[in-house]
């Protein structure tokens, strides 16, 4: 068996719109990595899907007076549409409320229960005396017993980050009916006995010391060094997957137990829909030659670095994650996105205004690889106009228009082939080699910087050579410069594929089909240009007239948008 890559992106929660933090923090990096591996000819799957259980969905569906099923389907479709517009591609994007996911989750629960990794424990629980509902997690709010913040939730204090014991909340309030008439009742839940597996877990974690990011490994290590804490993985709710035990009537599996299993169940469903002969476990999740990479934000580290790896190791249903390039946050003008407080930009609307190339380009520069980053409209304008339009758009547009106008039947290919012997070409190859190494290491910003530097060199070369002046004095020399520019434009078209697929298509569509097939571009991307040379023929011909590639962002529009964020 040869090497395989399983890329997973955090399952977006089916409870509201996605913002730039989600896109730049998780889905865009995963998509670039996926496209990069595909171009290298690797066997790779990109798996994700909607996360559709849990209390916030229940509360919001009730508020919207919608059945849970309709509510989650609505957000599932919204998210899928947004991803399509941002050209974020998956092999499969499923739903955790589906039948196949329930089947896979029950398989895991039953195995862990049989292996005594799950145990029933009696515990106290809050119950509303007025509406009779049990009040787990976010169904109860009260004052935090650590920082005194007044809207701490039953699972977490949003102010100080404490993992809350709901029984200790001060002045608890029922989120169903706003009653403060709350009692403590005897109940029981099923707990995942993480503490039992501390030793094998730490041994596994130690193997990640050098490969995980400096923002991930030390954090996880410090949380786990002493011990692992057992966790309740069931709840008394009416939306979710039933606990598969006769004695546990009415209890549901906790959303954080079933959500990561979604990576596995969605892989199974993906292969089934592809009519693949692969077995989702033997060939993928349990294959020692599979590299599993989870793309997540920093708020999801505990579940991906600790809880799901333990579930995977103990059940034997999946190998634990190999790489966990968790990102920091993207803010909006320095503050966290908040739709309810109006501190928010609609990702759909921004894309409709500025186009997918501009948005992806700016968002790549915001990928918060090591520190939080911040979205501002004026930075979008600067990045797009000064870098993407002035550099890449300008070079390809000017040079290819000149070619199209003056050499309708093409420029001599031998000029482009001679260019391969120059120092400029060697310097460019060097940068592209660095680009591939950065992408192998999930360093997306550094990779794109290498490509922008190639574009800058090409643009500078074209400007210095002045082919429009040469055309009047030495037409052969002008043809040489234009043939080289055509080669460089093609090269940019190929190497923009993982970053800006729309721009890449626009550039490559200028060239003959024989040069732009997957076979030719894949080899070219890997630095092997023999197939390209073989297909090239005597002349480089453009099959259509070049159109403006990157529309400039309008300063007036930016000033208006920016004004709404002045306090
Ligand atoms: Zn607090
Ligand atoms: Zn109540």
């Amino acid at each position: 068996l040869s090497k395989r890559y399983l890329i997973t992106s955090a399952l977006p929660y089916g409870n509201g719109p996605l913002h730039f933090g989600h896109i730049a923090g998780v889905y865009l990096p995963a998509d670039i990595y996926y496209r990069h591996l595909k171009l290298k000819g690797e066997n790779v799957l990109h798996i994700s899907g909607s996360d559709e259980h849990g209390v916030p969905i229940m509360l919001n569906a009730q508020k919207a007076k919608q059945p849970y099923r309709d509510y989650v389907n609505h957000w599932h479709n919204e998210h899928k549409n947004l991803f399509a517009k941002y050209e974020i591609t998956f092999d499969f994007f499923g739903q955790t409320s589906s039948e196949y996911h329930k089947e896979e989750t029950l398989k895991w629960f039953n195995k862990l229960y049989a292996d005594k990794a799950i145990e029933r424990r009696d515990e106290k629980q809050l119950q509303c005396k007025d509406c009779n509902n049990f009040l787990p997690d976010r169904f109860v709010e009260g004052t935090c017993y650590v920082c005194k913040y007044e809207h701490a939730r039953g699972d977490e204090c949003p102010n100080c980050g404490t993992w809350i014991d709901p029984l200790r909340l001060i002045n608890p309030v029922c989120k169903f009916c706003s009653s403060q008439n709350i009692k403590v009742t005897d109940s029981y839940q099923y707990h995942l006995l993480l503490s039992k597996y501390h030793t094998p877990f730490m041994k596994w974690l130690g193997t990640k010391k050098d490969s995980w990011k400096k923002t991930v490994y030390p954090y996880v290590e410090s949380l786990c060094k002493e011990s692992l804490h057992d966790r309740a993985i069931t709840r008394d709710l009416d939306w979710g997957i039933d606990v598969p035990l006769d004695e546990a009537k009415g209890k549901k599996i906790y959303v954080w137990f079933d959500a990561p299993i979604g990576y596995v169940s969605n892989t199974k469903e993906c292969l089934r829909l592809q009519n693949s002969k692969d077995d989702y476990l033997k060939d993928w999740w349990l294959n020692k030659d599979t590299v599993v990479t989870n793309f997540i934000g920093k708020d999801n580290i505990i579940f991906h670095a600790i809880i799901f790896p333990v579930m995977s190791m103990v059940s034997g249903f999946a190998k634990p994650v190999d790489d966990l390039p968790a990102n920091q946050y993207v803010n909006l003008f320095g503050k966290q996105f908040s739709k309810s407080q109006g501190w928010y930009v609609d990702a759909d609307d921004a894309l409709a205004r500025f186009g997918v190339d501009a948005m992806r380009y700016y968002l790549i520069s915001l990928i918060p690889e090591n520190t939080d980053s911040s979205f501002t409209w004026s930075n979008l304008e600067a990045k797009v106009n000064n870098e993407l339009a002035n550099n890449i758009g300008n070079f390809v547009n000017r040079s290819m228009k000149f070619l199209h106008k003056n050499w309708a039947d093409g420029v001599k290919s031998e000029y482009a082939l001679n260019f391969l012997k120059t120092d400029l070409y060697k310097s460019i190859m060097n940068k592209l080699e660095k680009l591939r190494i950065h992408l192998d290491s999930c360093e997306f910003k550094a990779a794109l910087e290498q490509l922008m530097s190639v574009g800058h060199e090409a643009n500078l070369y074209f400007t210095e050579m002045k082919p429009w002046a040469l055309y009047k004095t030495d037409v052969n020399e002008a043809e040489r410069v234009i043939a080289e520019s055509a080669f460089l434009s093609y090269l940019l078209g190929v190497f923009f594929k993982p970053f800006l697929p729309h721009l890449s298509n626009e550039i490559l569509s200028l060239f003959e089909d024989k040069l732009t097939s997957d076979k030719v571009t894949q080899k070219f991307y890997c630095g092997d240009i023999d197939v390209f040379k073989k297909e090239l023929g005597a002349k480089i011909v453009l099959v259509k007239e070049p159109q403006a590639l990157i529309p400039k962002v309008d300063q007036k529009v930016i000033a208006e948008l920016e004004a709404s964020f002045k306090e």
Side-chain angles (χ1 to χ4, degrees):
L1 286 172
S2 59
K3 209 166 183 183
R4 290 164 185 250
Y5 293 85
L6 249 175
I7 301 174
T8 71
S9 295
L11 307 187
Y13 197 57
N15 188 35
L18 295 169
H19 58 62
F20 296 138
H22 303 116
I23 296 171
V26 176
Y27 305 100
L28 191 53
D31 181 65
I32 297 168
Y33 189 56
Y34 175 68
R35 290 175 186 272
H36 165 67
L37 292 175
K38 283 286 224 193
L39 274 164
K40 285 175 69 179
E42 300 288 1
N43 194 356
V44 47
L45 287 178
H46 185 193
I47 300 291
S48 188
S50 302
D51 174 7
E52 304 186 318
H53 293 135
V55 169
I57 282 175
M58 294 178 65
L59 285 176
N60 280 339
Q62 287 168 13
K63 228 180 268 169
K65 298 197 178 2
Q66 278 183 26
Y68 301 135
R69 161 90 35 215
D70 295 356
Y71 185 81
V72 297
N73 283 347
H74 167 77
W75 285 112
H76 176 70
N77 290 326
E78 290 283 310
H79 294 167
K80 264 180 94 157
N81 291 339
L82 190 75
F83 288 137
K85 288 179 191 167
Y86 276 81
E87 299 189 301
I88 288 161
T89 51
F90 304 95
D91 287 289
F92 187 61
F93 188 79
Q95 293 183 266
T96 61
S97 63
S98 59
E99 219 22 66
Y100 68 81
H101 175 72
K102 179 178 154 189
E103 192 183 300
E104 186 68 25
T105 301
L106 295 182
K107 194 177 127 185
W108 284 60
F109 186 97
N110 287 327
K111 178 74 165 55
L112 292 169
Y113 186 71
D115 289 350
K116 303 210 172 347
I118 292 176
E119 179 184 274
R120 176 177 158 158
R121 283 185 187 168
D122 292 332
E123 63 176 33
K124 306 254 181 245
Q125 179 164 336
L126 297 180
Q127 189 176 14
C128 177
K129 284 201 216 167
D130 287 330
C131 69
N132 276 330
N133 280 302
F134 289 108
L135 306 176
D137 309 311
R138 298 180 186 202
F139 280 125
V140 62
E141 267 188 24
T143 301
C144 174
Y145 47 84
V146 176
C147 74
K148 303 290 182 274
Y149 177 68
E150 286 180 4
H151 296 285
R153 302 184 301 245
D155 54 356
E156 187 190 27
C157 172
N159 190 50
C160 69
T162 298
W163 190 267
I164 291 285
D165 172 2
L167 298 181
R168 292 177 59 197
L169 278 176
I170 303 160
N171 301 328
V173 180
C174 168
K175 290 298 282 178
F176 286 103
C177 70
S178 302
S179 165
Q180 297 197 11
N181 201 2
I182 289 168
K183 63 175 177 183
V184 177
T185 52
D186 288 321
S187 181
Y188 64 92
Q189 299 298 349
Y190 293 82
H191 289 245
L192 182 64
L193 306 185
L194 295 158
S195 60
K196 253 173 100 167
Y197 306 99
H198 185 240
T199 307
F201 172 78
M202 288 308 288
K203 198 173 155 200
W204 169 77
L205 183 67
T207 64
K208 307 300 172 201
K209 190 171 181 162
D210 298 322
S211 58
W212 282 9
K213 287 164 80 160
K214 298 284 167 278
T215 47
V216 178
Y217 182 85
Y219 170 66
V220 177
E221 212 247 345
S222 72
L223 284 176
C224 302
K225 215 166 27 196
E226 304 299 328
S227 60
L228 292 176
H229 299 288
D230 300 341
R231 286 198 183 218
I233 51 151
T234 57
R235 295 288 189 271
D236 295 287
L237 302 173
D238 58 0
W239 171 243
I241 298 171
D242 287 319
V243 174
L245 299 169
D246 290 340
E247 60 182 43
K249 263 219 153 14
K251 299 214 183 273
K252 297 284 192 288
I253 292 175
Y254 180 44
V255 58
W256 261 113
F257 182 86
D258 88 74
I261 296 172
Y263 299 141
V264 181
S265 67
N266 284 326
T267 306
K268 184 182 184 186
E269 185 66 1
C270 172
L271 295 170
R272 188 185 73 77
L273 293 171
Q274 289 178 352
N275 290 317
S276 169
K277 290 200 178 73
D278 286 0
D279 180 82
Y280 75 117
L281 296 181
K282 188 162 73 61
D283 297 313
W284 288 94
W285 281 99
L286 290 172
N287 182 346
K288 66 174 172 43
D289 295 316
T290 301
V291 179
V292 178
T293 306
N294 296 158
F295 283 87
I296 59 168
K298 64 179 167 187
D299 50 337
N300 287 343
I301 289 175
I302 292 174
F303 288 93
H304 288 81
I306 305 171
I307 300 176
F308 192 54
V310 172
M311 288 164 60
S312 301
M313 283 189 270
V314 176
S315 69
F317 287 145
K319 66 189 293 242
V321 62
D322 293 292
D323 206 3
L324 193 62
N327 281 322
Q328 306 295 299
Y329 290 147
V330 179
N331 292 317
L332 180 60
F333 291 88
K335 270 170 49 180
Q336 274 197 29
F337 282 84
S338 166
K339 185 146 198 257
S340 55
Q341 290 168 30
W343 202 256
Y344 183 77
V345 173
D346 186 84
D348 224 333
D349 180 58
L351 191 102
R353 280 175 195 271
F354 301 112
V356 66
D357 293 323
M359 291 313 299
R360 277 182 69 119
Y361 183 71
Y362 180 45
L363 291 176
I364 293 170
S365 79
L366 291 182
I367 294 175
E369 289 171 7
N370 299 306
T371 53
D372 290 354
S373 64
S374 189
F375 182 102
T376 74
W377 287 114
S378 54
N379 284 345
L380 170 100
E381 180 203 326
K383 293 289 287 185
V384 173
N385 288 357
N386 303 345
E387 297 176 13
L388 195 59
N390 275 357
N391 219 326
I392 309 296
N394 207 16
F395 165 67
V396 176
N397 209 248
R398 274 199 302 167
S399 63
M400 292 305 92
K401 274 205 158 141
F402 199 67
L403 191 167
H404 188 261
K405 186 172 154 216
N406 297 302
W407 290 275
D409 55 353
V411 287
K412 285 189 195 128
S413 296
E414 64 174 271
Y415 288 133
L417 295 174
N418 285 337
F419 176 68
L420 305 181
K421 297 166 195 153
T422 62
D423 286 344
L424 176 59
Y425 180 68
K426 274 179 210 139
S427 143
I428 287 171
M429 282 299 107
N430 199 354
K431 287 179 181 166
L432 296 176
E433 172 67 14
K434 284 186 190 152
L435 175 152
R436 288 188 295 261
I437 292 170
H438 281 308
L439 286 186
D440 283 338
S441 321
C442 294
E443 293 161 357
F444 303 101
K445 290 194 286 191
L448 183 55
E449 277 162 23
Q450 292 296 330
L451 185 56
M452 292 309 286
S453 158
V454 170
H456 180 70
E457 283 201 60
N459 198 25
L460 210 63
Y461 178 69
F462 181 80
T463 308
E464 278 169 6
M465 294 307 289
K466 298 189 177 60
W468 55 93
L470 284 173
Y471 190 71
K472 293 170 198 150
T473 56
D474 185 347
V475 72
N476 289 335
E477 184 65 357
E479 184 176 352
R480 181 181 69 78
V481 174
I482 292 300
E484 291 170 356
S485 302
F487 175 79
L488 287 168
S489 296
Y490 173 84
L491 178 147
L492 288 169
V494 172
F495 279 85
F496 265 110
K497 268 177 180 275
F499 304 101
L500 306 180
H502 173 263
L503 175 67
S504 161
N505 281 340
E506 290 290 300
I507 297 175
L508 292 178
S509 72
L510 299 172
F511 297 91
E512 294 174 276
D513 289 347
K514 62 181 184 179
L515 295 179
T516 58
S517 69
D518 285 348
K519 186 179 127 195
V520 179
T521 53
Q522 280 185 9
K523 288 274 181 197
F524 194 96
Y525 183 78
C526 295
D528 172 1
I529 64 169
D530 286 349
V531 187
F532 170 80
K533 282 189 197 163
K534 212 178 288 167
E535 297 288 351
L536 191 56
K539 297 232 171 172
I540 303 176
V541 191
L542 296 193
V543 296
K544 65 179 197 191
E545 189 184 354
Q547 303 298 318
L549 287 171
I550 308 290
K552 287 238 176 171
V553 170
D554 185 341
Q555 288 185 347
K556 253 176 63 190
V557 174
I558 289 292
E560 282 165 24
L561 289 167
E562 188 110 7
S564 62
F565 289 96
K566 293 278 182 293
E567 285 176 293

